[in-house]
Amino acid sequence: MIASHLLAYYFTELHHDQIQKVDKYLYHLRLSDENLMDVSVRFRREMDKGLSRDANPRAAVKMLPSFVRSTPDGTEKGDFLALDLGGTNFRVLLVKVSSNGKQKVEMENQIYAIPEHLMRGSGTQLFDHIADCLANFLEKVGMKDKKLPLGFTFSFPCQQTKLDESILVSWTKGFKSSGVEGQDVVSLLRKAIKKRGDFDIDIVAVINDTVGTMMTCGYDDHHCEIGLIVGTGTNACYMEEMRNLELVEGDEGRMCVNMEWGAFGDDGALEDLRTDFDREIDAGSLNPGKQLFEKMISGMYMGELVRLILVKMAKDQQLFQGQTTPDLLATGHFHTSYVSAIEIDKDKEGLVAAEKVLRGLGLDPSVEDCVATQRVCQIISTRAAHLCAASLVAVLRQIRDNKAAERLRTTIGVDGSVYKNHPQFARRLHKMVRRLVPDCDVRFLRSEDGSGKGAAMVTAVAHRLAAQHAERQRILDTLRLTSEQLLDVKERMGEAMALGLSRQNHQRASVKMLPTYVRSTPDGTERGDFLALDLGGTNFRVLLVRVRSGKRRSVEMHNKIYSIPQEAMQGTGEELFDHIVHCIADFLEYMGMKGASLPLGFTFSFPCHQSKLDEGILLKWTKGFKATGCEGEDVVMLLNDAIHRREEFDLDVVAVVNDTVGTMMTCGYEDPLCEVGLIVGTGTNACYMEEMQNVELVEGDDGLMCVNMEWGAFGDHGELDDFCTDFDHTVDDRSTNPGKQRYEKMISGMYLGEIVRNVLLEFTAKGLLFRGKLSERLKTRGIFETKFLSQIESDRLALRQVRSILQHLGLTSSTCDDSILVKEVCSVVARRAAQLCGAGLAAVVDKIRQNRKLEQLCVTVGVDGTLYKLHPHFSSIMHETVRSLAPQCDVTFLQSEDGSGKGAALITAVACRIRDAGQH
């Protein structure tokens, strides 16, 4: 009767009325978008609880760490075994992964049964049986003599502490093997294999099927970072930032979290949305009060929910003319597969199926009954799809916020009978997800064999990561220095210093140890007004420094910055020095001191030979200066000649200094123990107070003199060859002064970014970084600025920072793992620089101690330079190195403020104090 009337009936009002009647009856099972957004917000709160160390014990959604730290990148290759145990059968698989140009996966598998008596017997017997089946499989595929890596999908509740360690919390699905709960299943399997003794495998990973789903899809789509299962049960996993995952040590990188989301609501979070039908299902289940979210969604309960509703509607005279049958009243007789069949859309197949199912339950349904039953199925499966969408949206939002992205592009790997077999479920799920998060571009990818192939994929990724890690560490180890090597650098620096101080060997010394004629550090009695000139680049400064002594001891400064036009830099020396004097005159007028005659200190940061304090012979111009008639001349004389040409004022040029000595003097004014100056910025240099008897280039044996070491050239005669890496040679060969300033090129800000860039190029060429894809910009010399090192190593959220720097370098598709590696390279390169600098400094302070024949020396080092001041770890690593290499020296570090300006004035003040004392 039904089939012939169906078409005619379909267009009648009755159909519509019947649907409205069911909708009204089940209104509380239909959730609005607002309801769903609210569920999503609640779920996100539950996620936060599960991620937090303190709240996790009370959290319903457990957010378990899986110790899977990376998804496939397509370069995996090799033969892997997988073992899939999740029910009464288990499978062994051989998975061959090849990546020659195009990704390919081939699989062979065999299914083995687990007899009833083993499911309930002892754990030893169970694992012996599994080992026997493994042996049988390996024999069959002819690989018994090879040691293959194996991934183990073990779909029971476990507590994982490592990728290859999983402790069974409790058996489910009818298993009761004794002596397994509370034990590590990997150890049990290893023991059983060892007992046989005829084959060996390397168990690399234990995973659950949800993680397997994500990894299987991740091999085909590298954007996949979420796994979802909607089948008999339901669960999800996703890649979370380690910094949010408080249950595991470490902040770097990501880890897949197995959410165990079926338990959402077990703490009452969903009470207002659960209906009497949900409560009835729960009460009749094997685990009342547990997995409440799963009971609203998954295939195990969907058919039963429909049955309970049909019974209630029949009892309320809404269906089947109030009749029920023993079959309709029997738990579990309305299968979830019926729901799928009844909801088929085309050609009224669904209504035909409904009639067939209802007749099978002993009922005699009318057309209206069939329409109503179809509508009940639709409402239940739609609610399931929409609840699933709401919790997925919370996960998508979490990932988007983690990445601080405007829009998120991601893929969700999905498996499970409900998702795959129900005709409408997937479409409804997709549609609702897109409606609730319009700012995410989400692709859903069906997983083929997540639990088997997925376990092999996790193993393949772990295998790739281990091999890549070993290769990267091998390369980075060339940039890591042992304490023995650092002691060696210290001793070689000591020898180079001795050569530079000796008259006989000075010519062949790499470290020139230039006398500065600065004979004393400030003693606090200096006073008066001094001018300072600071010339070291395209801008120069004129300063007035007022030094006060006594109780109100202070230094007050006024300065003005002037630029040097290109034509003055590259014209004649007369034009350059006339321009400088013109600026001094302007400054004196600006300060209301026109015509005054003051002592002047001149910071001249170009290579000079000094034979007295107020004389500096320019050896060669650097930094783009080319003014003629200056090289080989005394710059003080050139300045004095220009002052006389102007005939407006007279100045007493007392001292020519470089910025390193200025740094020592500035700090020496604050701390009388300061006898060493250090600069670590764009370049690097040091100076210290040496005994006159050791400064053989200058007559006289009494007292001290500051020696400007020019230590950047250490290594120019091969002293550092056995510490130089290929990266150092590359940076040196391509620099403007190959073979020169070798020590500086391993330490200073001008070169560190370039060393890092070359390491990144090497890693990428070997496929260890950026999936082997180079960006054109990264090939550009100097593009990786040293300031990036400071930024990358500073912030707790550094990975975001690293991402934005990598994007700036054209590496738009770099992953989270790439960011961690870039950070590691920066840290290794900066650490080596700080240690080399510390080793050099240890040689300097130890020399001062030996000069004075002291058991223990207390000394202060004045420091300046952008690398020392801005890099977050450079200073502390350098201090630690000095401490360990010069244990008999108690070294304090003082940051200098304005060494080149204030320092020049203080040198002048000290020189005037000594000169005045001599005259008295």
Side-chain angles (χ1 to χ4, degrees):
M1 146 239 102
I2 266 188
S4 57
H5 287 78
L6 272 178
L7 276 174
Y9 170 80
Y10 192 75
F11 298 103
T12 65
E13 284 297 307
L14 277 174
H15 183 123
H16 186 64
D17 290 350
Q18 197 59 19
I19 285 179
Q20 276 198 318
K21 193 167 86 177
V22 176
D23 284 358
K24 199 168 161 189
Y25 191 80
L26 298 178
Y27 75 93
H28 46 307
L29 281 158
R30 302 176 64 217
L31 303 173
S32 67
D33 288 8
E34 288 72 26
N35 292 144
L36 293 169
M37 270 319 291
D38 182 41
V39 170
S40 187
V41 170
R42 292 184 211 183
F43 188 72
R44 183 95 183 257
R45 275 201 297 266
E46 293 298 315
M47 287 168 67
D48 289 342
K49 269 193 215 164
L51 289 170
S52 142
R53 185 181 284 123
D54 299 337
N56 179 278
R58 301 184 305 284
V61 179
K62 282 298 180 206
M63 306 293 279
L64 304 173
S66 69
F67 295 86
V68 169
R69 291 171 182 269
S70 179
T71 51
D73 72 355
T75 64
E76 291 75 17
K77 54 179 183 287
D79 295 346
F80 304 95
L81 286 170
L83 189 55
D84 178 13
L85 175 64
T88 48
N89 289 334
F90 78 99
R91 284 189 307 157
V92 184
L93 302 93
L94 173 65
V95 182
K96 291 174 181 286
V97 186
S98 54
S99 78
N100 45 357
K102 56 183 197 297
Q103 301 168 205
K104 206 165 109 220
V105 179
E106 296 167 39
M107 299 199 288
E108 286 182 63
N109 74 69
Q110 172 95 26
I111 293 176
Y112 295 91
I114 297 180
E116 183 81 19
H117 72 276
L118 287 181
M119 287 170 69
R120 303 180 183 286
S122 76
T124 314
Q125 291 171 311
L126 174 66
F127 282 95
D128 284 350
H129 174 66
I130 293 172
D132 294 346
C133 298
L134 258 175
N136 170 276
F137 179 78
L138 287 171
E139 214 149 87
K140 212 182 92 190
V141 295
M143 289 213 171
K144 208 168 172 190
D145 53 342
K146 280 178 101 174
K147 183 174 179 175
L148 293 177
L150 176 137
F152 188 5
T153 302
F154 188 73
S155 300
F156 298 92
C158 282
Q159 179 73 48
Q160 254 184 293
T161 43
K162 299 207 284 271
L163 185 59
D164 62 350
E165 183 177 282
S166 199
I167 289 155
L168 176 66
V169 178
S170 58
W171 281 118
T172 54
K173 310 179 198 179
F175 276 75
K176 285 273 184 297
S177 298
S178 60
V180 183
E181 291 183 348
Q183 298 297 312
D184 168 26
V185 294
V186 175
S187 304
L188 295 172
L189 180 57
R190 279 186 184 137
K191 215 178 276 173
I193 291 169
K194 200 171 173 191
K195 193 156 70 179
R196 276 189 63 101
D198 60 341
F199 71 95
D200 193 12
I201 53 176
D202 177 18
I203 305 172
V204 174
V206 193
I207 60 161
N208 82 351
D209 48 358
T210 319
V211 179
T213 296
M214 178 188 80
M215 294 299 270
T216 305
C217 295
Y219 185 71
D220 299 318
D221 179 339
H222 299 159
H223 289 288
C224 183
E225 48 193 343
I226 300 174
L228 168 68
I229 288 186
V230 196
T232 317
T234 180
N235 192 14
C237 68
Y238 72 102
M239 295 301 287
E240 176 58 273
E241 299 289 325
M242 281 287 288
R243 65 170 189 272
N244 297 332
L245 189 52
E246 294 180 6
L247 301 174
V248 181
E249 288 307 309
D251 279 347
E252 300 288 306
R254 304 199 302 168
M255 184 180 283
C256 177
V257 168
N258 163 22
M259 302 177 76
E260 290 295 345
W261 81 3
F264 175 38
D266 288 5
D267 56 357
L270 292 172
E271 273 322 290
D272 54 330
L273 295 176
R274 291 176 69 230
T275 64
D276 292 342
F277 305 116
D278 295 308
R279 293 190 178 87
E280 195 175 336
I281 280 253
D282 179 46
S285 68
L286 292 170
N287 54 351
K290 299 265 182 291
Q291 300 293 96
L292 298 182
F293 187 58
E294 181 168 84
K295 287 170 186 167
M296 297 167 85
I297 289 178
S298 78
M300 189 158 179
Y301 305 98
M302 200 180 274
E304 184 61 8
L305 264 172
V306 172
R307 187 189 70 79
L308 291 175
I309 292 168
L310 297 181
V311 169
K312 177 95 164 66
M313 288 181 79
K315 286 181 176 168
D316 287 350
Q317 306 295 315
Q318 304 276 332
L319 279 181
F320 317 132
Q321 294 163 327
Q323 301 295 308
T324 57
T325 64
D327 273 337
L328 181 64
L329 293 173
T331 304
H333 275 214
F334 197 103
H335 305 303
T336 296
S337 58
Y338 298 170
V339 179
S340 298
I342 289 169
E343 284 196 59
I344 292 173
D345 248 359
K346 62 176 200 281
D347 299 338
K348 312 302 151 299
E349 263 183 58
L351 289 174
V352 173
E355 185 194 12
K356 190 177 163 198
V357 166
L358 294 171
R359 289 198 182 282
L361 293 171
L363 293 157
D364 180 17
S366 66
V367 179
E368 289 92 329
D369 291 334
C370 294
V371 170
T373 301
Q374 187 180 46
R375 187 60 179 163
V376 172
C377 291
Q378 284 169 351
I379 288 173
I380 288 299
S381 64
T382 301
R383 181 182 74 150
H386 286 178
L387 283 171
C388 203
S391 40
L392 263 184
V393 163
V395 176
L396 290 164
R397 290 224 150 111
Q398 175 84 351
I399 294 175
R400 192 193 61 201
D401 291 353
N402 284 344
K403 292 184 178 174
E406 287 291 312
R407 280 192 82 78
L408 174 68
R409 179 183 169 201
T410 193
T411 298
I412 300 172
V414 203
D415 204 347
S417 50
V418 172
Y419 183 85
K420 287 181 166 176
N421 302 337
H422 188 287
Q424 312 296 332
F425 188 93
R427 191 181 52 80
R428 289 177 195 148
L429 172 71
H430 303 172
K431 198 170 161 189
M432 186 49 79
V433 165
R434 291 179 180 130
R435 210 154 86 199
L436 296 178
V437 274
D439 48 5
C440 294
D441 300 322
V442 186
R443 178 183 179 213
F444 289 84
L445 186 59
R446 279 172 64 145
S447 154
E448 301 310 325
D449 190 22
S451 45
K453 183 173 157 189
M457 276 302 142
V458 172
T459 308
V461 169
H463 212 66
R464 164 177 67 80
L465 291 179
Q468 289 179 335
H469 178 74
E471 176 61 5
R472 277 192 299 266
Q473 294 312 314
R474 189 191 64 69
I475 295 169
L476 288 178
D477 280 345
T478 63
L479 289 155
R480 292 188 173 108
L481 299 172
T482 63
S483 28
E484 289 72 28
Q485 288 174 309
L486 289 169
L487 196 57
D488 207 358
V489 172
K490 174 195 165 182
E491 281 160 7
R492 293 183 200 187
M493 176 67 89
E495 288 158 16
M497 288 165 70
L499 282 179
L501 286 170
S502 123
R503 178 180 282 121
Q504 197 182 343
N505 297 312
H506 181 78
Q507 282 313 107
R508 62 187 189 85
S510 59
V511 179
K512 284 297 179 204
M513 306 295 281
L514 304 173
T516 64
Y517 297 87
V518 170
R519 305 290 307 264
S520 166
T521 51
D523 68 0
T525 64
E526 294 76 16
R527 54 191 296 181
D529 291 356
F530 305 93
L531 276 180
L533 276 191
D534 176 14
L535 177 65
T538 48
N539 288 335
F540 86 106
R541 288 187 306 158
V542 186
L543 304 93
L544 172 68
V545 182
R546 298 200 150 119
V547 183
R548 300 283 169 264
S549 62
K551 276 186 183 159
R552 303 180 59 188
R553 197 170 148 241
S554 66
V555 177
E556 177 195 322
M557 295 198 291
H558 305 272
N559 73 71
K560 204 168 171 189
I561 294 175
Y562 297 89
S563 68
I564 297 181
Q566 199 67 24
E567 54 272 21
M569 282 169 72
Q570 308 198 337
T572 66
E574 278 198 1
E575 287 167 343
L576 175 64
F577 280 91
D578 283 349
H579 174 70
I580 290 172
V581 169
H582 166 75
C583 296
I584 296 173
D586 173 79
F587 178 75
L588 289 173
E589 192 165 320
Y590 164 74
M591 291 301 298
M593 300 175 71
K594 198 174 172 186
S597 174
L598 293 173
L600 178 136
F602 190 3
T603 300
F604 187 73
S605 299
F606 298 91
C608 278
H609 175 71
Q610 275 189 277
S611 52
K612 33 188 214 273
L613 184 59
D614 59 355
E615 177 186 283
I617 311 290
L618 174 65
L619 298 176
K620 62 173 190 293
W621 281 120
T622 55
K623 308 178 198 181
F625 278 74
K626 295 259 188 323
T628 56
C630 298
E631 290 182 354
E633 297 296 328
D634 171 18
V635 293
V636 175
M637 209 147 80
L638 295 174
L639 181 63
N640 276 326
D641 289 350
I643 290 171
H644 295 143
R645 278 199 296 278
R646 193 169 176 100
E647 293 182 337
E648 228 180 76
F649 53 84
D650 202 16
L651 292 175
D652 174 14
V653 182
V654 174
V656 184
V657 296
N658 83 349
D659 49 359
T660 318
V661 182
T663 295
M664 178 187 79
M665 294 300 268
T666 307
C667 294
Y669 187 74
E670 304 296 327
D671 179 346
L673 289 177
C674 183
E675 298 188 71
V676 183
L678 169 68
I679 287 188
V680 201
T682 317
T684 181
N685 192 14
C687 68
Y688 72 103
M689 297 303 286
E690 177 57 272
E691 306 292 321
M692 272 297 287
Q693 68 206 32
N694 297 334
V695 187
E696 294 181 11
L697 299 178
V698 180
E699 293 304 313
D701 281 351
D702 294 338
L704 305 168
M705 180 179 285
C706 177
V707 169
N708 163 21
M709 296 174 67
E710 290 295 344
W711 82 357
F714 176 47
D716 290 6
H717 295 170
E719 301 95 327
L720 292 170
D721 281 3
D722 42 347
F723 303 118
C724 279
T725 64
D726 294 347
F727 308 115
D728 296 306
H729 290 302
T730 306
V731 168
D732 179 48
D733 293 345
R734 295 185 185 157
S735 67
T736 47
N737 54 350
K740 299 268 183 287
Q741 300 294 95
R742 299 297 297 274
Y743 186 56
E744 179 168 87
K745 284 171 186 165
M746 296 167 87
I747 289 178
S748 79
M750 190 158 178
Y751 303 99
L752 292 190
E754 199 45 22
I755 296 175
V756 168
R757 187 182 72 85
N758 278 286
V759 177
L760 300 184
L761 288 176
E762 167 92 347
F763 275 9
T764 311
K766 293 197 156 166
L768 304 172
L769 190 64
F770 308 136
R771 299 196 169 134
K773 293 185 184 69
L774 254 190
S775 84
E776 279 309 310
R777 291 197 59 163
L778 193 60
K779 293 181 189 167
T780 315
R781 223 181 114 230
I783 190 88
F784 199 100
E785 298 168 50
T786 296
K787 69 172 184 195
F788 292 161
L789 270 82
S790 298
Q791 290 170 2
I792 285 171
E793 284 200 69
S794 60
D795 193 345
R796 175 151 157 41
L797 299 181
L799 293 184
R800 272 187 200 175
Q801 208 122 7
V802 181
R803 273 310 248 297
S804 60
I805 289 167
L806 295 180
Q807 277 164 353
H808 162 77
L809 296 174
L811 297 155
T812 43
S813 60
S814 65
T815 64
C816 178
D817 292 338
D818 292 333
S819 298
I820 295 171
L821 296 176
V822 171
K823 194 173 174 184
E824 185 180 12
V825 172
C826 290
S827 134
V828 168
V829 169
R831 183 176 186 82
R832 183 186 71 151
Q835 288 178 324
L836 283 170
C837 189
L841 197 57
V844 174
V845 293
D846 240 357
K847 173 124 182 42
I848 298 175
R849 182 183 68 77
Q850 286 158 0
N851 284 345
R852 298 182 191 168
K853 302 181 173 57
L854 294 171
E855 268 301 301
Q856 199 72 25
L857 168 75
C858 280
V859 69
T860 297
V861 177
V863 202
D864 204 348
T866 47
L867 190 59
Y868 182 87
K869 286 181 168 174
L870 301 180
H871 190 283
H873 308 301
F874 188 95
S875 57
S876 56
I877 295 168
M878 186 186 90
H879 299 170
E880 181 192 316
T881 309
V882 174
R883 263 201 305 277
S884 71
L885 296 180
Q888 290 168 276
C889 300
D890 185 1
V891 185
T892 306
F893 292 87
L894 189 58
Q895 274 199 35
S896 153
E897 301 309 325
D898 191 25
S900 45
K902 186 169 153 186
L906 284 167
I907 290 171
T908 307
V910 170
C912 290
R913 162 172 69 76
I914 293 172
R915 190 173 62 188
D916 293 350
Q919 285 168 359
H920 292 316

PDB file of all heavy atoms in Angstrom, residues 567-568 570-580 645:
ATOM      1  N   GLU A 567      80.523  65.124   0.511  1.00  0.00           N
ATOM      2  CA  GLU A 567      81.665  65.789  -0.154  1.00  0.00           C
ATOM      3  C   GLU A 567      82.810  66.051   0.825  1.00  0.00           C
ATOM      4  O   GLU A 567      83.982  66.040   0.441  1.00  0.00           O
ATOM      5  CB  GLU A 567      81.231  67.095  -0.860  1.00  0.00           C
ATOM      6  CG  GLU A 567      80.504  68.118  -0.006  1.00  0.00           C
ATOM      7  CD  GLU A 567      78.985  67.907   0.031  1.00  0.00           C
ATOM      8  OE1 GLU A 567      78.528  66.774  -0.252  1.00  0.00           O
ATOM      9  OE2 GLU A 567      78.283  68.875   0.353  1.00  0.00           O
ATOM     10  N   ALA A 568      82.474  66.245   2.136  1.00  0.00           N
ATOM     11  CA  ALA A 568      83.547  66.441   3.132  1.00  0.00           C
ATOM     12  C   ALA A 568      84.249  65.114   3.428  1.00  0.00           C
ATOM     13  O   ALA A 568      85.465  65.074   3.633  1.00  0.00           O
ATOM     14  CB  ALA A 568      82.967  67.032   4.410  1.00  0.00           C
ATOM     15  N   GLN A 570      84.716  62.746   1.367  1.00  0.00           N
ATOM     16  CA  GLN A 570      85.498  62.241   0.236  1.00  0.00           C
ATOM     17  C   GLN A 570      86.258  63.345  -0.495  1.00  0.00           C
ATOM     18  O   GLN A 570      86.808  63.116  -1.562  1.00  0.00           O
ATOM     19  CB  GLN A 570      84.562  61.498  -0.708  1.00  0.00           C
ATOM     20  CG  GLN A 570      83.761  60.461   0.078  1.00  0.00           C
ATOM     21  CD  GLN A 570      83.140  59.388  -0.765  1.00  0.00           C
ATOM     22  OE1 GLN A 570      82.927  59.593  -1.932  1.00  0.00           O
ATOM     23  NE2 GLN A 570      82.843  58.260  -0.155  1.00  0.00           N
ATOM     24  N   GLY A 571      86.306  64.564   0.134  1.00  0.00           N
ATOM     25  CA  GLY A 571      87.058  65.665  -0.488  1.00  0.00           C
ATOM     26  C   GLY A 571      88.487  65.694   0.034  1.00  0.00           C
ATOM     27  O   GLY A 571      89.112  64.657   0.212  1.00  0.00           O
ATOM     28  N   THR A 572      88.962  66.915   0.365  1.00  0.00           N
ATOM     29  CA  THR A 572      90.338  67.017   0.903  1.00  0.00           C
ATOM     30  C   THR A 572      90.268  67.005   2.424  1.00  0.00           C
ATOM     31  O   THR A 572      89.226  67.305   3.026  1.00  0.00           O
ATOM     32  CB  THR A 572      90.998  68.337   0.464  1.00  0.00           C
ATOM     33  OG1 THR A 572      90.274  69.421   1.089  1.00  0.00           O
ATOM     34  CG2 THR A 572      90.954  68.505  -1.048  1.00  0.00           C
ATOM     35  N   GLY A 573      91.408  66.707   3.043  1.00  0.00           N
ATOM     36  CA  GLY A 573      91.497  66.696   4.502  1.00  0.00           C
ATOM     37  C   GLY A 573      91.186  68.077   5.066  1.00  0.00           C
ATOM     38  O   GLY A 573      90.527  68.196   6.112  1.00  0.00           O
ATOM     39  N   GLU A 574      91.663  69.119   4.361  1.00  0.00           N
ATOM     40  CA  GLU A 574      91.410  70.500   4.840  1.00  0.00           C
ATOM     41  C   GLU A 574      89.911  70.763   4.926  1.00  0.00           C
ATOM     42  O   GLU A 574      89.408  71.293   5.912  1.00  0.00           O
ATOM     43  CB  GLU A 574      92.074  71.521   3.903  1.00  0.00           C
ATOM     44  CG  GLU A 574      93.546  71.708   4.194  1.00  0.00           C
ATOM     45  CD  GLU A 574      94.097  73.014   3.582  1.00  0.00           C
ATOM     46  OE1 GLU A 574      93.302  73.756   2.964  1.00  0.00           O
ATOM     47  OE2 GLU A 574      95.300  73.265   3.745  1.00  0.00           O
ATOM     48  N   GLU A 575      89.163  70.356   3.875  1.00  0.00           N
ATOM     49  CA  GLU A 575      87.711  70.579   3.860  1.00  0.00           C
ATOM     50  C   GLU A 575      87.041  69.833   5.025  1.00  0.00           C
ATOM     51  O   GLU A 575      86.162  70.379   5.699  1.00  0.00           O
ATOM     52  CB  GLU A 575      87.112  70.094   2.534  1.00  0.00           C
ATOM     53  CG  GLU A 575      87.452  70.999   1.355  1.00  0.00           C
ATOM     54  CD  GLU A 575      87.135  70.336   0.001  1.00  0.00           C
ATOM     55  OE1 GLU A 575      86.970  69.101  -0.057  1.00  0.00           O
ATOM     56  OE2 GLU A 575      87.073  71.077  -1.001  1.00  0.00           O
ATOM     57  N   LEU A 576      87.483  68.604   5.267  1.00  0.00           N
ATOM     58  CA  LEU A 576      86.877  67.809   6.347  1.00  0.00           C
ATOM     59  C   LEU A 576      87.115  68.489   7.695  1.00  0.00           C
ATOM     60  O   LEU A 576      86.167  68.690   8.475  1.00  0.00           O
ATOM     61  CB  LEU A 576      87.466  66.392   6.355  1.00  0.00           C
ATOM     62  CG  LEU A 576      87.011  65.500   7.520  1.00  0.00           C
ATOM     63  CD1 LEU A 576      85.504  65.243   7.459  1.00  0.00           C
ATOM     64  CD2 LEU A 576      87.759  64.169   7.522  1.00  0.00           C
ATOM     65  N   PHE A 577      88.364  68.854   7.986  1.00  0.00           N
ATOM     66  CA  PHE A 577      88.666  69.423   9.316  1.00  0.00           C
ATOM     67  C   PHE A 577      88.122  70.850   9.457  1.00  0.00           C
ATOM     68  O   PHE A 577      87.739  71.255  10.562  1.00  0.00           O
ATOM     69  CB  PHE A 577      90.165  69.317   9.624  1.00  0.00           C
ATOM     70  CG  PHE A 577      90.538  67.920  10.088  1.00  0.00           C
ATOM     71  CD1 PHE A 577      90.943  66.945   9.192  1.00  0.00           C
ATOM     72  CD2 PHE A 577      90.420  67.574  11.423  1.00  0.00           C
ATOM     73  CE1 PHE A 577      91.236  65.652   9.607  1.00  0.00           C
ATOM     74  CE2 PHE A 577      90.723  66.283  11.859  1.00  0.00           C
ATOM     75  CZ  PHE A 577      91.122  65.316  10.954  1.00  0.00           C
ATOM     76  N   ASP A 578      88.034  71.605   8.346  1.00  0.00           N
ATOM     77  CA  ASP A 578      87.376  72.926   8.415  1.00  0.00           C
ATOM     78  C   ASP A 578      85.910  72.768   8.799  1.00  0.00           C
ATOM     79  O   ASP A 578      85.362  73.540   9.592  1.00  0.00           O
ATOM     80  CB  ASP A 578      87.483  73.662   7.065  1.00  0.00           C
ATOM     81  CG  ASP A 578      88.882  74.254   6.860  1.00  0.00           C
ATOM     82  OD1 ASP A 578      89.654  74.268   7.857  1.00  0.00           O
ATOM     83  OD2 ASP A 578      89.213  74.677   5.733  1.00  0.00           O
ATOM     84  N   HIS A 579      85.270  71.723   8.238  1.00  0.00           N
ATOM     85  CA  HIS A 579      83.851  71.473   8.559  1.00  0.00           C
ATOM     86  C   HIS A 579      83.702  71.133  10.050  1.00  0.00           C
ATOM     87  O   HIS A 579      82.802  71.626  10.732  1.00  0.00           O
ATOM     88  CB  HIS A 579      83.310  70.322   7.692  1.00  0.00           C
ATOM     89  CG  HIS A 579      81.911  69.908   8.051  1.00  0.00           C
ATOM     90  ND1 HIS A 579      80.811  70.708   7.800  1.00  0.00           N
ATOM     91  CD2 HIS A 579      81.438  68.796   8.675  1.00  0.00           C
ATOM     92  CE1 HIS A 579      79.716  70.094   8.257  1.00  0.00           C
ATOM     93  NE2 HIS A 579      80.073  68.919   8.794  1.00  0.00           N
ATOM     94  N   ILE A 580      84.635  70.324  10.562  1.00  0.00           N
ATOM     95  CA  ILE A 580      84.575  69.946  11.982  1.00  0.00           C
ATOM     96  C   ILE A 580      84.728  71.187  12.866  1.00  0.00           C
ATOM     97  O   ILE A 580      83.960  71.387  13.822  1.00  0.00           O
ATOM     98  CB  ILE A 580      85.679  68.892  12.292  1.00  0.00           C
ATOM     99  CG1 ILE A 580      85.316  67.560  11.609  1.00  0.00           C
ATOM    100  CG2 ILE A 580      85.858  68.691  13.798  1.00  0.00           C
ATOM    101  CD1 ILE A 580      86.395  66.495  11.676  1.00  0.00           C
ATOM    102  N   ARG A 645      93.298  78.347  11.268  1.00  0.00           N
ATOM    103  CA  ARG A 645      92.787  78.976  10.043  1.00  0.00           C
ATOM    104  C   ARG A 645      91.548  79.805  10.350  1.00  0.00           C
ATOM    105  O   ARG A 645      91.305  80.835   9.761  1.00  0.00           O
ATOM    106  CB  ARG A 645      92.439  77.906   8.990  1.00  0.00           C
ATOM    107  CG  ARG A 645      93.624  77.394   8.192  1.00  0.00           C
ATOM    108  CD  ARG A 645      93.202  76.700   6.885  1.00  0.00           C
ATOM    109  NE  ARG A 645      92.422  75.484   7.091  1.00  0.00           N
ATOM    110  CZ  ARG A 645      92.951  74.289   7.360  1.00  0.00           C
ATOM    111  NH1 ARG A 645      94.261  74.135   7.455  1.00  0.00           N
ATOM    112  NH2 ARG A 645      92.176  73.227   7.535  1.00  0.00           N
TER     113      ARG A 645
END
